[in-house]
Amino acid sequence: MWRWLRHAYLWLVYFLLYAPIVVLIVYSFNASKNPYRWGGFSLDWYARLLDNDLLLRAAGNSLLLAVCAATLTTLIGTLTAIALQRYRFRGKALFNGMLFVVMMSPDIVLAISLLTLFILAGVQLGFISLLLAHITFCLPFVVVTVYSRLVGFNPQILEAARDLGAGEFHMVRTVLLPIIFPAVLAGWLLGFTLSIDDVVVSTFVTGPTFEILPLRIYSMVRLGIRPEVNALATVLLALSLIALALSHFLLAKREGNPA
Amino acid sequence: MKTRTPFKTAVLTVTWGWMIIFVLLPNLLVFSSSFLQRDELEFVRLPVTLENYTRLLDPLYGGVMLHSLWMAAVTTVVCLLLGYPFAFAVSRFPARLKPLLIFLVIVPFWTNSLVRTYAMKLLLSTNGIVNDLLITIGLIDEPLRMLYTEGAVIAGLVYILLPFMILPLYAVFEQLRRDLLEASYDLGAGRWETFVRVVLPLTLPGVIAGCLLVMLPAMGMFFTADVLGGAKNLLVGNIIKNQFLDARDWPFGAAASLMLTIVMALLLLAYYRSVKLIRRRGNDVALA
């Protein structure tokens, strides 16, 4: 009896989590103009996406931003994780504290603090401000991902490299990086997803010259139901799932890896 | 490693520089501007004042604030009531199935929250599927007006934030030792007593961590209130956004955002206290 109830409850919660997404996907193939009535299968809304220049440009901007943000975040984040794991330095507690604050504090708090900084420093709102903001909020997540991999392997490998005469930089490049590479890639994917999904921070630090996809969608769905948003959402969902599956695969390989 | 190498110096310079310029400095700016006054041209000006904080308690804003806190609190409680039994149920499954079950919870977490809010709007519309369903099974005759209500905002927030509650709860249930439960049964406690006196205290850190991860975004996610709640159901996030982007009253917006930070600090404190308490109790038991 208890067992039965437990299973039923589990499926109920999964149903609640997935039903809205499934409805969204199904209706993106709807032939009817009425967004609530099923009128047969069609790809009309997808075709219409390709005609929408504004949307396509926003999508291109988002992709550019997410790739740049993810790459730079991964670079800085990996270095940060290495520094945190290998070096003792003054103010490490404060440093950890700041990373933790970025991770925990509500997006909106981070957003206004960065907006204030950009305005006071005279940074023009647009691509650069978006990039700097995205790197900042992705950073702790990449650091945590890479760090957890760094603490998981045998430090004697590094000592061996040192004994064999490798300098610090050489050792990091030829020994450390290959070992933590799956985590670095997973960090990149996480950064990419966080960046391309962000609405809150981007709303504040965006400028008129550089519109990105989530903000374009935001202004579309604020007003009502738009069937082409269903199609767009389905495409985005598929992309997120691919990124998730990839990162899961990369991190799962860790268990099978003796290093 | 205490030796100095050029590589180490370079790494530390970049990471410290980034944190100071983009984390420490901006937060100090917001903190100090919350004590200043509004200015049309320069955004803020002297003299120093506490007026922004007293305005938060002002009936005009106070009402909106309270309503927003209320919606965030209800969201948190609903997530907890849904997530707690769920995390427990998953933790009792065979070990080989657990990763898959948890993976299924993470998938929605990786998908765009704006898109999921929109999906919620699609469901709750007057002509939407939920109304259709209710009419078909004869529960109601007329479609209900569900969109643009408090309930819609809470439903949307719960839907988006539920994974954030489930994951920390699952982590504590995984650490819960089965032998403690058996000891409790052996000592004559029933199911209910075991739950209240053993399970609940031991899973408290997970409960608080989950509440932290749900409540803070539930106060800040202005787009959910915007898309599902209409003009009347605002979150603290909407107030902050209006002050910064429309009303151009930065000091007041900064004060509201500081209030969010204070709530965060209190919840974090509660989390650390609960973890400490359990460790100490655990030691007492071990010594006894």
Side-chain angles (χ1 to χ4, degrees), chain B:
Chain B
M1 266 234 347
K2 275 208 157 164
T3 48
R4 217 177 262 270
T5 63
F7 177 75
K8 178 182 169 182
T9 314
V11 169
L12 285 182
T13 311
V14 170
T15 53
W16 265 115
W18 195 278
M19 292 317 266
I20 287 172
I21 296 173
F22 294 105
V23 179
L24 195 61
L25 186 63
N27 279 302
L28 287 177
L29 285 174
V30 170
F31 179 76
S32 42
S33 68
S34 75
F35 295 101
L36 297 175
Q37 283 176 353
R38 176 186 179 202
D39 189 275
E40 297 290 337
L41 290 174
E42 302 281 323
F43 297 111
V44 290
R45 64 182 153 93
L46 288 167
V48 172
T49 171
L50 279 175
E51 191 204 338
N52 300 308
Y53 290 93
T54 49
R55 254 174 78 201
L56 280 176
L57 305 170
D58 190 285
L60 182 66
Y61 291 99
V64 179
M65 281 290 176
L66 275 183
H67 184 63
S68 161
L69 289 177
W70 160 251
M71 285 195 288
V74 173
T75 302
T76 313
V77 171
V78 173
C79 280
L80 185 60
L81 291 179
L82 277 174
Y84 197 87
F86 183 85
F88 172 72
V90 171
S91 76
R92 302 297 290 271
F93 266 81
R96 73 196 151 78
L97 284 177
K98 283 183 204 170
L100 176 69
L101 292 172
I102 284 302
F103 181 77
L104 285 175
V105 175
I106 299 176
V107 170
F109 161 81
W110 270 62
T111 54
N112 192 319
S113 46
L114 182 62
V115 164
R116 284 189 290 146
T117 305
Y118 171 74
M120 212 60 191
K121 187 173 191 169
L122 199 64
L123 286 185
L124 296 179
S125 303
T126 314
N127 308 316
I129 291 178
V130 174
N131 265 321
D132 267 8
L133 204 71
L134 290 176
I135 292 175
T136 316
I137 59 174
L139 232 68
I140 51 170
D141 301 320
E142 296 267 296
L144 295 172
R145 195 178 143 272
M146 288 183 282
L147 212 55
Y148 308 124
T149 60
E150 187 184 284
V153 177
I154 292 172
L157 289 172
V158 168
Y159 177 49
I160 291 172
L161 298 170
L162 188 58
F164 291 93
M165 180 63 88
I166 291 176
L167 294 178
L169 283 174
Y170 172 71
V172 287
F173 271 117
E174 275 294 88
Q175 286 168 5
L176 187 67
R177 280 164 48 191
R178 201 63 73 78
D179 53 352
L180 291 178
L181 304 190
E182 275 155 22
S184 170
Y185 290 135
D186 288 348
L187 293 170
R191 267 180 190 278
W192 175 248
E193 210 184 349
T194 303
F195 174 73
V196 172
R197 297 186 53 180
V198 181
V199 179
L200 204 56
L202 284 173
T203 51
L204 196 61
V207 171
I208 297 177
C211 290
L212 184 80
L213 291 175
V214 169
M215 190 149 186
L216 289 172
M219 291 192 283
M221 284 197 329
F222 57 82
F223 58 87
T224 305
D226 228 17
V227 172
L228 297 171
K232 277 196 177 153
N233 298 291
L234 301 176
L235 301 177
V236 181
N238 297 77
I239 299 171
I240 298 177
K241 178 174 161 257
N242 289 343
Q243 295 307 320
F244 268 83
L245 299 183
D246 305 324
R248 295 268 157 197
D249 189 344
W250 285 28
F252 184 56
S257 124
L258 227 73
M259 199 194 76
L260 276 189
T261 313
I262 291 168
V263 173
M264 171 179 89
L266 288 178
L267 284 169
L268 275 178
L269 194 70
Y271 174 73
Y272 283 118
R273 290 293 289 271
S274 73
V275 171
K276 235 186 192 164
L277 198 72
I278 283 174
R279 284 227 183 99
R280 212 173 44 223
R281 284 274 182 82
N283 287 341
D284 290 351
V285 171
L287 288 173

Side-chain angles (χ1 to χ4, degrees), chain A residues 2 6-7 9-14 16-21 23-24 27 34-37 76 79-83 86-92 94-95 98-102 104-106 108-110 112-120 131-133 135-136 139 162 168-169 172 186 189-190 193 196-201 203-204 213-215 217-218 221-230 232-234 236-237 240-241 243-245 247-248, chain B residues 1-2 5 7-9 11-12 14-16 18-27 29-30 33 42-44 81-90 92-93 99-116 118-123 125-129 132 148 159 162-163 166 191 209 212-213 216-217 219-224 226-227 236-238 240-241 244-245 248 250 253-254 257-258 260-261 264 268 272:
Chain A
W2 274 102
R6 230 167 55 207
H7 281 248
Y9 182 71
L10 220 57
W11 291 119
L12 177 74
V13 172
Y14 283 128
L16 291 178
L17 281 176
Y18 284 93
I21 298 179
V23 169
L24 184 83
Y27 273 81
N34 180 341
Y36 307 106
R37 292 282 166 274
I76 301 171
L79 290 178
T80 308
I82 291 174
R86 290 189 47 74
Y87 305 143
R88 251 179 281 157
F89 54 88
R90 215 175 295 162
K92 197 168 177 175
L94 174 70
F95 193 90
M98 284 195 287
L99 274 178
F100 188 69
V101 163
V102 177
M104 292 308 293
S105 63
I108 194 158
V109 173
L110 189 89
I112 60 162
S113 72
L114 286 170
L115 175 66
T116 313
L117 176 77
F118 293 147
I119 296 286
L120 287 181
L131 181 62
L132 293 172
I135 294 174
T136 304
L139 195 59
R162 188 173 301 285
E168 182 78 1
F169 177 70
V172 166
L189 285 167
L190 185 59
T193 319
I196 212 159
D197 281 352
D198 173 69
V199 181
V200 175
V201 176
T203 303
F204 284 85
L213 195 57
L215 298 183
I217 300 177
Y218 185 29
V221 303
R222 262 175 118 162
L223 302 169
I225 302 288
R226 302 276 295 271
E228 63 255 57
V229 175
N230 291 12
L232 184 61
T234 305
L236 281 177
L237 280 173
S240 301
L241 285 187
L244 173 63
S247 104
H248 209 74
Chain B
M1 266 234 347
K2 275 208 157 164
T5 63
F7 177 75
K8 178 182 169 182
T9 314
V11 169
L12 285 182
V14 170
T15 53
W16 265 115
W18 195 278
M19 292 317 266
I20 287 172
I21 296 173
F22 294 105
V23 179
L24 195 61
L25 186 63
N27 279 302
L29 285 174
V30 170
S33 68
E42 302 281 323
F43 297 111
V44 290
L81 291 179
L82 277 174
Y84 197 87
F86 183 85
F88 172 72
V90 171
R92 302 297 290 271
F93 266 81
L100 176 69
L101 292 172
I102 284 302
F103 181 77
L104 285 175
V105 175
I106 299 176
V107 170
F109 161 81
W110 270 62
T111 54
N112 192 319
S113 46
L114 182 62
V115 164
R116 284 189 290 146
Y118 171 74
M120 212 60 191
K121 187 173 191 169
L122 199 64
L123 286 185
S125 303
T126 314
N127 308 316
I129 291 178
D132 267 8
Y148 308 124
Y159 177 49
L162 188 58
I166 291 176
R191 267 180 190 278
L212 184 80
L213 291 175
L216 289 172
M219 291 192 283
M221 284 197 329
F222 57 82
F223 58 87
T224 305
D226 228 17
V227 172
V236 181
N238 297 77
I240 298 177
K241 178 174 161 257
F244 268 83
L245 299 183
R248 295 268 157 197
W250 285 28
S257 124
L258 227 73
L260 276 189
T261 313
M264 171 179 89
L268 275 178
Y272 283 118

